[in-house]
Amino acid sequence: MANQMMWSSGLLSCGRDPGIMTTTQAHSAMQLHLDCTVDRCLVRRRARATLVEAGKCVLDERALRI
């Protein structure tokens, strides 16, 4: 539980890469940073990459620029 709380607190800062995520964590991060863009938010960028790699998210060609 303590590790989960420490990991969750790392999701609050857009400028800090949270590191490796599970798909469940990535989904939560995407919801938490809903108003962020992947070009400015390291949390959303990592979460999106995790979901794409897991086959849970398919990007449109326009999103492949980043």
Side-chain angles (χ1 to χ4, degrees), residues 1-65:
M1 181 83 167
N3 285 341
Q4 180 63 26
M5 291 174 77
M6 285 175 46
W7 185 86
S8 296
S9 67
L11 287 181
L12 300 178
S13 174
C14 294
R16 183 174 171 207
D17 186 341
I20 297 170
M21 298 180 175
T22 65
T23 55
T24 300
Q25 291 168 331
H27 181 72
S28 295
M30 291 291 278
Q31 291 179 331
L32 183 63
H33 290 268
L34 189 62
D35 294 327
C36 297
T37 61
V38 294
D39 60 325
R40 294 183 180 237
C41 178
L42 297 177
V43 175
R44 190 163 177 89
R45 186 181 308 167
R46 172 71 74 162
R48 182 178 81 168
T50 298
L51 294 172
V52 168
E53 289 171 10
K56 302 289 184 183
C57 177
V58 178
L59 299 179
D60 182 279
E61 284 186 32
R62 294 171 289 172
L64 296 175
R65 289 182 263 143

